[in-house]
Amino acid sequence: MSFILTVALSIAAYSIAVLGTFMLTGMNGLFSLGQAAFMGLGAYVSAIMVVNYHLPFAVAILIAIVVAMGLAVLVGFATLRIRQDFFALATFGFGQAVTGLMTEMVNVTGGAMGFSNIPRLTTPTIAFISLAVAIVFVWGFRRSHFGKDSLAIRSNELAAKVEGIDVFKHKLTVFVLSAAFAAYAGALMAFHTRYVEPAMYGWIASVTWIIIVFFGGRDSLTGTVLGSIILLAAPEALRFTTAWRTLVYCVLILVIINLRPRGLFGTWELSLKPVINLFRPKKHQEVQ
Amino acid sequence: MQLTVLLQQVINGLSLGAVYALIAVGYALVFNVLKFSNFAHGGVLGISAYAGYIVANQLHWPLIPVILVGILTGAVVAVLVELIAFRWIRLQKGQLVYFFVTSVTMLMALEQVLIIRFGASFESYPYTLLKVKVIHLGELTISITYLLSLVLTIIAFSVLLYILKKTKIGIAIRAASNDLVATSLMGINVDQIIVATFIVSGFLGGLSGVLYGISASLSPQIGQIVVKGFIASVLGGLGSLKGVAMAAVALGVFEVFLVATIGSGLAPVVIFLLMVTFLLVRPQGFAGVSFMDKA
Amino acid sequence: MKKLSLMLIAVMIFALALTACAPAAPATQASAAVEPTKAPAAVEPTKAPAAVEPTKAPVVEAPKGDILIGNLQDESGGMKALSSALTFAATLQIEKINAAGGINGRMLKLITYDTRSDVNEAINAYTRMVQQDKVSIVLGPPIANIGIAIAPVSQELKVPVVGLFMDDKCTMQESGAPWTYMFLAQNSATTQGTIIANYAVKELGVKKVAVLYNSQNAYSVGLANPFIKVIEDSGGQIVAKETYTSTDKDFRAQLTKIKAAQPDALYFPSYPVEIPLIYTQAFELGLNVPMFGSNSVPPTGLAPSTDPAATTNTFYPYGINPSDPVLVDLAAAYKAKFDTNAIAQSFSGADAFGIIVKAIEACGNDVSSACLTTELNKGTEYVGFQGTVKLSATTHQPDALPMAIMTIKEGKAEFVTWYSPTGPAVK
């Protein structure tokens, strides 16, 4: 696999996780510092299923996603009724607890020494198609009533409740969905890098995804995807700066937030309308 | 456990708690006034810890000047953070979430600055900084470093309370905690208050940086200890610095007993469960004021 | 608005273009950024310059170019103290060899990548140095976690790694067979733990021991287990077994429990970062018993910032005797050149590199990974600073080398005696 393809695959997989954060944090304003823990869960469960129990790749991933979603339901029930900042704290604690468990259960997960020798089962095709499907899903999600409810809840939760939206149920659904996204991304990465360790799934990773969403624009799906590509490719592009690289990255974020808080792309979306218009018979346009 | 062992563990916990309390109060001050989590406080802590290290290690300054350097560095860095990360957003009436994003970015940025300057490995303050190491009370030993933290925390706290209650600027800060807009309407220069808040928070951050740096080794990631401040702030409750300090001390004691019983690997799990229970049952914390988001 | 969008799109294209043109690089450690460069699904073994396959008679062609040796070390992370010692050792040897004309007329070139103690970084770096830089052999780090992770990758990339990673899992697979391409050039953790334990039992008569170790770290666990086994086998008792995690800075809770158990001694196989803290806190709590450490004590345990009152009465196993006059001279030259003290890893690292050089010399014109691996597997004896290193074909670890038992008096390390896994040794 060429270098470019390897990088592109990683970007695609991480972008799926970022999309989960887009739904949860960008659209719904829920700041979860434990998203990366779900990614770790997806990675470990699928890896253990394949390496120790010899299950087929697809089945292992499915199990991983189900486990992550199940845990998300439990955690969601416990934490989603709490105030926003406290929710961040609670999910932070959750992330710590999960990575703590992963590290403690040495016999199952290899502990801090990591889980290695995972077979290479993720192909670029799988990764890119997954990303495409994820994008379509989120796009559909936004267009549906979920999208409108998200915006309502994010703007003013109390008013949303008054309007009859079942806020808790909505939040729980979104939380579980984004956990599924993160878990899937984790599984993809595990069978690509062939090695996972708990340290990869700490709160800093979760925060990085939130930053990416804000960088691209939390109201723009295209922005998030493009922002994800830019920021995940940047460490490679800025490689020659080595130690300065992360600092440049941080400065970049600060500049964006200060000068353009709506994100790089604001509310701009890639739209197929102009293309579609080209193919429409003239008379339909005139009728407008 | 025998009594002496139990008591010793309590002392261990209180020592740890004293360090946490100092960190937590510095963090909570900004939390109370500006209503967002200032993770960059960890960066303030880290930079000050290293500043103290430089003067202690290379200039061989004794303890008190080292602490002073830490405190001053803390204030300077805190104000810089406010200017770079928060002021613009505040002036543009940006949403609270943006503060969160920039504060974490600043934490990461300051950590990176330390990595660039010192490398990612670790350093230690020279042991000669403290002449006496421990005090013995019969079977019990109390480390001087931690005793120092306790005493300095109490002093810093008392000074803080005095400032907040008796001085003009302090009262202005408290007013701002209550209602920033109303305060500005009263003709008080909000910018000045906010800078003052950050300076005080910076003093505390700098002090805790040096003290924590002496007791634990220095590494660029030292700032991440600020999450304990985050936890304590929430458990202690919004709007009450005393509550935060008490919660931090309790957290220290609790952690020590957790480590002594179930081991430090599983401690985060228990703390998480405790946090969630707490948040569900008493979201306003020990001593905080209960309030819902405004309609 | 339009200008901004255009500018941003330009930035994006620029970023992607840079990624495409730039040669590979280590990924960021702090962010959840890309972990690039994994071995391709079908790997071609690194080919020798002239030969097509090792078994066919090589085309007679003068070998061209420098011999490329990869160097996978932590140059700026938490393990820098121990790891960069290998880089220094290798650099010294290369200068000497190149000054004398190189090997078979070819100069040696060290290609170093900084792993920053990050496993993913290390995997990427290893992959890159093989695929991009085309090294034929690698000098590995003294970090067990990285060794464990690299081992399966080495099966794919088929480039041998000679390092100081002490854990059994670094050189041996679960099945008991050795990892074909992984070689350890110092005593394994099992051997080292056994040696110090035997010393404690036989020479100091220790019966009740407390152990404080990092349950999350391969190095620590790998040393704790054999130690515990020796104590128990000899009729002794482990009165306290306390653990900590990699981010812990406060060990008082554990040390208080240990003190309450009234041990004869404390064993603490730890990484450099925790050692001064454990010393100080144990001392402050009044735990005044002999302390047994591991070969990573010197960098921080003997550092000027560590209180000598706290480190007194320590014993630890060491690969070399630093007071050996020959080594003293070398250490002085080392310090003059690199501005840092020579430690055991400087010498055991020199041995690791020496083994690499010997294999290269043995391969003559065919300096390929295949030939080098075959040479390493022969287990030829290498006379180095640690003694006569002979790599076992079944474990890829050396047959037990005697180690120096060191003690610390007033902040200075002192040699006590040579010791082997079974008893006193003569060197």
Side-chain angles (χ1 to χ4, degrees):
Chain A
M1 209 189 307
S2 79
F3 175 55
I4 298 263
L5 214 50
T6 329
V7 174
L9 202 161
S10 299
I11 294 181
Y14 272 108
S15 297
I16 296 177
V18 173
L19 282 174
T21 305
F22 173 73
M23 283 193 295
L24 186 64
T25 310
M27 291 175 66
N28 283 279
L30 289 166
F31 281 77
S32 165
L33 296 181
Q35 280 303 94
F38 287 118
M39 187 188 206
L41 217 54
Y44 270 98
V45 172
S46 56
I48 292 174
M49 289 296 132
V50 169
V51 174
N52 292 352
Y53 297 100
H54 309 293
L55 293 179
F57 190 37
V59 174
I61 293 192
L62 213 58
I63 296 181
I65 294 182
V66 167
V67 168
M69 289 173 81
L71 194 59
V73 170
L74 286 175
V75 175
F77 256 104
T79 60
L80 282 169
R81 292 193 202 272
I82 312 176
R83 268 186 51 148
Q84 182 169 325
D85 346 34
F86 296 1
F87 175 72
L89 175 62
T91 50
F92 167 81
F94 165 67
Q96 297 280 86
V98 168
T99 42
L101 274 176
M102 283 189 223
T103 324
E104 263 306 278
M105 296 164 63
V106 188
N107 295 331
V108 176
T109 64
M113 281 85 87
F115 197 89
S116 63
N117 213 5
I118 306 175
R120 179 182 309 283
L121 293 176
T122 312
T123 63
T125 327
I126 295 181
F128 294 138
I129 294 187
S130 303
L131 179 62
V133 169
I135 293 178
V136 169
F137 181 94
V138 177
W139 183 72
F141 181 86
R142 279 183 95 198
R143 289 195 57 171
S144 72
H145 73 93
F146 275 109
K148 302 193 187 73
D149 289 353
S150 299
L151 195 56
I153 293 175
R154 193 185 85 188
S155 309
N156 193 325
E157 199 170 306
L158 219 50
K161 262 193 214 151
V162 166
E163 300 223 5
I165 299 177
D166 187 343
V167 171
F168 180 69
K169 193 164 132 203
H170 174 95
K171 281 184 177 175
L172 191 61
T173 315
V174 178
F175 191 64
V176 170
L177 279 176
S178 57
F181 271 59
Y184 183 60
L188 285 182
M189 282 305 288
F191 291 89
H192 173 61
T193 57
R194 304 191 56 205
Y195 171 86
V196 290
E197 60 178 5
M200 291 160 64
Y201 306 110
W203 63 279
I204 297 226
S206 306
V207 171
T208 309
W209 300 345
I210 293 179
I211 290 182
I212 293 180
V213 168
F214 274 84
F215 173 79
R218 61 179 174 151
D219 287 316
S220 165
L221 173 58
T222 331
T224 299
V225 175
L226 290 177
S228 179
I229 293 176
I230 297 178
L231 288 184
L232 291 173
E236 279 310 302
L238 298 174
R239 164 201 44 80
F240 50 84
T241 48
T242 47
W244 289 84
R245 186 195 313 142
T246 315
L247 190 58
V248 172
Y249 184 81
C250 289
V251 170
L252 211 64
I253 305 287
L254 284 170
V255 167
I256 293 282
I257 299 274
N258 272 330
L259 296 180
R260 200 169 157 75
R262 307 213 69 185
L264 221 50
F265 296 91
T267 45
W268 179 72
E269 291 284 1
L270 197 61
S271 177
L272 292 174
K273 276 216 190 90
V275 180
I276 295 175
N277 276 342
L278 282 176
F279 292 102
R280 269 209 193 128
K282 292 276 193 260
K283 41 179 168 174
H284 286 257
Q285 286 178 18
E286 280 168 26
V287 168
Q288 263 192 1
Chain B
M1 257 190 253
Q2 312 167 279
L3 188 61
T4 37
V5 177
L6 187 65
L7 281 178
Q8 182 67 59
Q9 295 288 33
V10 170
I11 293 178
N12 294 340
L14 289 176
S15 314
L16 198 56
V19 176
Y20 287 168
L22 203 53
I23 298 173
V25 172
Y27 166 90
L29 204 55
V30 174
F31 195 22
N32 285 355
V33 174
L34 291 173
K35 307 282 182 273
F36 71 90
S37 299
N38 180 21
F39 278 99
H41 191 67
V44 170
L45 199 155
I47 304 260
S48 312
Y50 272 87
Y53 165 73
I54 292 178
V55 295
N57 208 36
Q58 281 161 24
L59 300 178
H60 303 291
W61 286 9
L63 186 63
I64 309 275
V66 167
I67 291 183
L68 284 175
V69 166
I71 293 179
L72 289 172
T73 316
V76 169
V77 177
V79 171
L80 280 176
V81 165
E82 199 269 322
L83 284 173
I84 299 175
F86 306 135
R87 176 160 298 211
W88 206 314
I89 303 176
R90 183 166 50 84
L91 292 176
Q92 291 182 349
K93 311 247 183 289
Q95 299 181 343
L96 276 181
V97 311
Y98 293 125
F99 290 120
F100 172 76
V101 175
T102 51
S103 78
V104 179
T105 312
M106 277 307 293
L107 173 64
M108 280 167 49
L110 289 171
E111 197 175 286
Q112 281 305 116
V113 165
L114 288 174
I115 292 181
I116 290 173
R117 173 67 181 82
F118 293 96
S121 64
F122 48 89
E123 321 280 346
S124 294
Y125 273 81
Y127 72 93
T128 46
L129 216 46
L130 292 169
K131 292 288 177 268
V132 182
K133 285 290 169 169
V134 283
I135 291 182
H136 291 279
L137 285 177
E139 283 276 319
L140 304 174
T141 54
I142 307 177
S143 130
I144 284 289
T145 355
Y146 281 144
L147 205 58
L148 204 59
S149 299
L150 195 61
V151 168
L152 285 172
T153 307
I154 294 178
I155 293 180
F157 211 57
S158 313
V159 171
L160 183 65
L161 284 179
Y162 177 81
I163 293 179
L164 288 177
K165 289 226 161 81
K166 305 280 190 193
T167 65
K168 249 187 172 172
I169 193 82
I171 297 176
I173 291 179
R174 278 167 57 217
S177 302
N178 234 328
D179 194 328
L180 200 59
V181 178
T183 314
S184 70
L185 288 177
M186 296 287 208
I188 298 176
N189 186 338
V190 168
D191 280 346
Q192 271 184 8
I193 295 185
I194 295 198
V195 169
T197 312
F198 271 91
I199 290 181
V200 176
S201 162
F203 280 152
L204 292 168
L207 181 60
S208 44
V210 171
L211 287 178
Y212 188 62
I214 293 179
S215 59
S217 25
L218 292 172
S219 73
Q221 289 81 22
I222 194 177
Q224 293 186 17
I225 194 79
V226 76
V227 292
K228 305 278 187 199
F230 190 19
I231 297 177
S233 287
V234 172
L235 293 180
L238 277 180
S240 166
L241 291 176
K242 279 192 212 135
V244 165
M246 286 194 320
V249 174
L251 185 63
V253 177
F254 189 61
E255 267 188 20
V256 163
F257 276 97
L258 271 184
V259 169
T261 44
I262 60 168
S264 77
L266 288 174
V269 183
V270 175
I271 294 195
F272 165 62
L273 292 172
L274 176 79
M275 262 203 309
V276 169
T277 322
F278 220 89
L279 288 172
L280 283 175
V281 167
R282 196 179 164 83
Q284 69 270 33
F286 282 146
V289 180
S290 174
F291 65 96
M292 293 286 291
D293 292 309
K294 295 208 189 87
Chain C
M1 179 61 207
K2 271 221 178 103
K3 259 198 237 164
L4 197 59
S5 310
L6 281 175
M7 185 181 75
L8 297 168
I9 294 179
V11 167
M12 185 178 76
I13 296 177
F14 183 61
L16 288 171
L18 273 184
T19 316
C21 302
T28 325
Q29 69 176 24
S31 56
V34 173
E35 315 296 351
T37 328
K38 291 291 150 242
V43 181
E44 306 159 334
T46 319
K47 296 202 163 72
V52 171
E53 271 166 61
T55 47
K56 285 203 189 140
V59 175
V60 179
E61 229 182 72
K64 300 187 266 274
D66 296 344
I67 299 176
L68 302 173
I69 303 173
N71 185 26
L72 202 60
Q73 303 300 339
D74 179 355
E75 304 278 301
S76 63
M79 288 295 281
K80 155 170 108 162
L82 300 178
S83 199
S84 53
L86 280 88
T87 310
F88 295 149
T91 311
L92 276 177
Q93 279 197 41
I94 288 184
E95 281 178 2
K96 216 164 89 174
I97 294 175
N98 283 353
I103 298 182
N104 285 336
R106 299 170 70 183
M107 297 291 133
L108 295 184
K109 185 158 170 212
L110 195 67
I111 306 213
T112 306
Y113 279 90
D114 181 4
T115 66
R116 298 191 294 197
S117 281
D118 183 273
V119 177
N120 266 297
E121 195 86 17
I123 296 179
N124 295 342
Y126 176 47
T127 314
R128 199 167 307 119
M129 54 174 66
V130 167
Q131 293 184 333
Q132 212 108 341
D133 301 291
K134 308 258 190 279
V135 302
S136 30
I137 189 165
V138 175
L139 178 65
I143 304 173
N145 284 25
I146 291 183
I148 295 176
I150 298 271
V153 183
S154 70
Q155 292 289 106
E156 252 189 336
L157 298 180
K158 300 196 180 12
V159 169
V161 183
V162 181
L164 297 182
F165 24 72
M166 283 163 45
D167 193 281
D168 286 342
K169 293 199 276 288
C170 303
T171 49
M172 299 202 314
Q173 307 183 45
E174 299 249 330
S175 58
W179 288 108
T180 321
Y181 300 92
M182 303 291 289
F183 300 89
L184 171 64
Q186 67 169 338
N187 274 341
S188 69
T190 312
T191 312
Q192 297 201 25
T194 308
I195 288 179
I196 190 71
N198 270 312
Y199 179 79
V201 169
K202 293 191 178 150
E203 308 302 320
L204 298 179
V206 158
K207 289 250 179 311
K208 300 190 307 178
V209 183
V211 182
L212 176 63
Y213 67 104
N214 182 348
S215 56
Q216 298 180 352
N217 178 277
Y219 173 86
S220 207
V221 172
L223 285 168
N225 287 340
F227 187 93
I228 291 174
K229 185 168 185 318
V230 167
I231 299 290
E232 290 179 337
D233 282 350
S234 69
Q237 196 198 350
I238 304 289
V239 296
K241 193 167 145 187
E242 293 296 319
T243 63
Y244 58 88
T245 62
S246 304
T247 46
D248 282 351
K249 302 276 187 256
D250 189 278
F251 311 98
R252 289 155 204 270
Q254 295 95 328
L255 288 167
T256 305
K257 281 176 79 178
I258 287 176
K259 185 177 168 194
Q262 295 175 327
D264 295 333
L266 170 64
Y267 181 49
F268 65 109
S270 305
Y271 265 167
V273 60
E274 298 117 30
I275 289 177
L277 294 170
I278 293 179
Y279 269 128
T280 317
Q281 291 168 14
F283 181 63
E284 289 176 359
L285 283 170
L287 186 62
N288 288 322
V289 293
M291 303 197 25
F292 293 89
S294 62
N295 67 345
S296 57
V297 165
T300 48
L302 295 171
S305 49
T306 310
D307 192 346
T311 57
T312 251
N313 210 10
T314 306
F315 298 89
Y316 57 94
Y318 215 46
I320 48 141
N321 173 3
S323 45
D324 181 338
V326 174
L327 299 183
V328 168
D329 290 338
L330 287 170
Y334 182 101
K335 170 117 195 202
K337 187 175 171 88
F338 300 114
D339 194 30
T340 179
N341 289 326
I343 49 177
Q345 286 76 2
S346 314
F347 296 102
S348 44
D351 284 354
F353 194 72
I355 292 175
I356 289 179
V357 166
K358 191 156 172 190
I360 294 177
E361 285 169 349
C363 275
N365 288 337
D366 173 28
V367 183
S368 65
S369 323
C371 168
L372 290 168
T373 312
T374 318
E375 272 308 312
L376 290 167
N377 270 305
K378 284 186 190 156
T380 339
E381 285 183 359
Y382 173 82
V383 180
F385 294 106
Q386 301 174 94
T388 309
V389 183
K390 181 171 168 28
L391 295 179
S392 146
T394 46
T395 61
H396 284 195
Q397 296 167 4
D399 294 339
L401 297 157
M403 295 189 83
I405 304 290
M406 308 289 297
T407 186
I408 301 183
K409 283 208 182 109
E410 276 155 45
K412 298 253 178 299
E414 248 182 44
F415 172 75
V416 180
T417 181
W418 290 107
Y419 223 75
S420 77
T422 43
V426 188
K427 197 67 178 290

